[in-house]
Amino acid sequence: MKRDIISVLDMKSDFEKFVDDGIKLKKSFKAGVKDSSMDRKTLGMIFEKASTRTRVSFETAMTQLGGHAIYLSPKDMQMGRGETIADTGRVLSGMVDALLYRAFEHENVVELAKNSSIPVINGLDNLEHPTQIVADYMTIKEKKGKLKGLKIAYVGDGNNTANSLMLAAGLVGADFWIATPKGYGPPEYFVKESRSIAKRHRSEIEVTNNYREAVAGADVIYTDVWVSMGEEQDREKKEKAFRSFQVNERMVSLAKKDYIFMHCLPAHRGLEVTDEVADSKNSVIFQEAENRLHAEKIILKKVID
Ligand code: CP
Ligand code: NVA
């Protein structure tokens, strides 16, 4: 049976294995070990929205593993002229070995997966960003040597990245605190699901509007943009509501001394994070971005035969 990665929940049984195998693969790549496991394999990559990291990391991952990737924009595809997602999935299933899809709507990723006989990987939608989260927990494990028992504080918008990070926190047994302005918390479904997973791993998921209690004693402080792709019409309102949630030197002074600062990027410096924090010795944002390349490789190797 094919394996889709649409949600972090599709890695429920082996999420930490993705993380550990990703770290191993990165080490062997850096040691010069050749891996041609994607020989003659092709990844189709449909991007409805902009991307730097996801596009380049998946394309490079395929190249380094001896395969090939095709960038597809709905603007240039028949999908943009009314061909259905279902028909697109059926057609591409006969030509490529897996599909990566960055979509505005989660339902469309589900629809593509349902109508494709090949694996579909969610390259970010309005609800989740699962491939990012593998790279994130790889980075935390590299820096902290463990995941279980850590306190991760996410400060900002209860968005796609936050939902996926929160689901995975329970899977690795980390405590997860999310602090957002009132009205911008994560959807109830994700909180409930994350709490039920966390309970089994004896960790906690806490949702608050008070960033001080979230950040107090944290091992990791994570933020993301306040205005995600597709929400541009809310920019003014959101920037006002989020002003006091900026990750700055005053805020991070509440965390553990050796805390690490993370951001999936792109960062809007001066808004959700200051230059002082983003460029500080505690910041791991570029290691985190580089880890996308290694995370994508492990994801591809696990879904493509
Ligand atoms: N973090 C991330 O997904 O970046 P891109 O939007 O550049 O792909
Ligand atoms: N939450 C952001 C993540 C970008 C990688 C967005 O959806 O735009």
Side-chain angles (χ1 to χ4, degrees):
M1 213 178 79
K2 67 162 178 150
R3 182 171 192 183
D4 300 313
I5 305 285
I6 296 177
S7 162
V8 163
L9 295 177
D10 294 316
M11 297 179 272
K12 205 172 181 173
S13 58
D14 55 351
F15 181 77
E16 201 157 348
K17 186 98 175 77
F18 274 76
V19 171
D20 292 340
D21 289 352
I23 294 172
K24 269 192 223 143
L25 203 69
K26 175 179 177 181
K27 280 193 189 137
S28 68
F29 174 72
K30 296 219 175 221
V33 177
K34 204 167 165 218
D35 182 340
S36 310
S37 52
M38 292 296 130
D39 184 29
R40 274 175 281 183
K41 303 287 184 193
T42 302
L43 174 72
M45 309 192 300
I46 306 172
F47 280 89
E48 286 177 5
K49 313 191 232 192
S51 170
T52 298
R53 282 143 288 266
T54 308
R55 177 181 176 179
V56 174
S57 58
F58 269 100
E59 187 160 341
T60 306
M62 283 304 286
T63 305
Q64 289 182 355
L65 295 174
H68 178 64
I70 305 173
Y71 173 78
L72 298 160
S73 159
K75 278 203 298 282
D76 311 317
M77 295 168 75
Q78 298 293 6
M79 224 167 100
R81 296 181 58 250
E83 184 165 24
T84 65
I85 291 172
D87 282 351
T88 303
R90 291 178 191 124
V91 168
L92 294 178
S93 293
M95 299 181 181
V96 302
D97 299 283
L99 288 168
L100 172 74
Y101 186 18
R102 172 165 284 194
F104 280 102
E105 298 300 330
H106 182 75
E107 292 71 40
N108 290 346
V109 183
V110 174
E111 172 79 357
L112 184 72
K114 216 171 75 191
N115 290 283
S116 302
S117 57
I118 53 173
V120 171
I121 303 166
N122 181 355
L124 176 147
D125 61 30
N126 56 323
L127 295 182
E128 279 210 54
H129 196 2
T131 64
Q132 174 71 48
I133 273 37
V134 176
D136 292 343
Y137 282 93
M138 278 173 61
T139 312
I140 300 173
K141 198 152 186 181
E142 284 176 331
K143 295 306 277 186
K144 297 286 170 197
K146 62 171 188 175
L147 297 173
K148 197 167 178 54
L150 294 178
K151 179 177 182 182
I152 301 173
Y154 177 98
V155 181
D157 192 22
N159 62 16
N160 42 13
T161 304
N163 294 337
S164 292
L165 261 181
M166 180 164 66
L167 286 173
L171 292 174
V172 300
D175 292 329
F176 187 83
W177 287 68
I178 174 163
T180 73
K182 281 203 175 71
Y184 292 101
E188 202 39 50
Y189 163 80
F190 286 97
V191 177
K192 253 180 86 181
E193 198 64 37
S194 303
R195 282 197 171 132
S196 99
I197 296 170
K199 207 169 156 196
R200 271 178 267 139
H201 294 83
R202 293 167 200 270
S203 69
E204 275 175 53
I205 306 290
E206 300 289 346
V207 182
T208 176
N209 301 125
N210 178 350
Y211 70 80
R212 285 181 197 84
E213 58 176 12
V215 169
D219 297 284
V220 178
I221 300 178
Y222 196 120
T223 193
D224 185 13
V225 292
W226 293 338
V227 180
S228 284
M229 291 179 278
E231 294 183 343
E232 287 73 14
Q233 71 285 358
D234 298 332
R235 182 174 301 284
E236 212 175 314
K237 193 171 113 211
K238 286 190 95 174
E239 284 183 3
K240 223 155 120 195
F242 281 77
R243 206 170 291 156
S244 62
F245 286 75
Q246 180 186 67
V247 180
N248 52 33
E249 284 182 308
R250 196 161 35 85
M251 186 190 287
V252 302
S253 69
L254 303 170
K256 282 204 181 118
K257 244 190 143 75
D258 64 348
Y259 88 96
I260 55 172
F261 171 70
M262 301 182 72
H263 191 313
C264 60
L265 302 179
H268 290 108
R269 289 165 176 259
L271 290 175
E272 74 271 9
V273 62
T274 59
D275 284 336
E276 287 75 21
V277 172
D279 299 327
S280 69
K281 63 175 186 0
N282 299 73
S283 173
V284 297
I285 56 177
F286 298 115
Q287 178 175 337
E288 181 184 1
E290 182 195 328
N291 279 342
R292 291 296 304 274
L293 171 64
H294 309 289
E296 319 312 21
K297 283 187 189 169
I298 207 67
I299 292 167
L300 290 164
K301 282 164 75 78
K302 288 197 193 273
V303 304
I304 299 178
D305 292 328

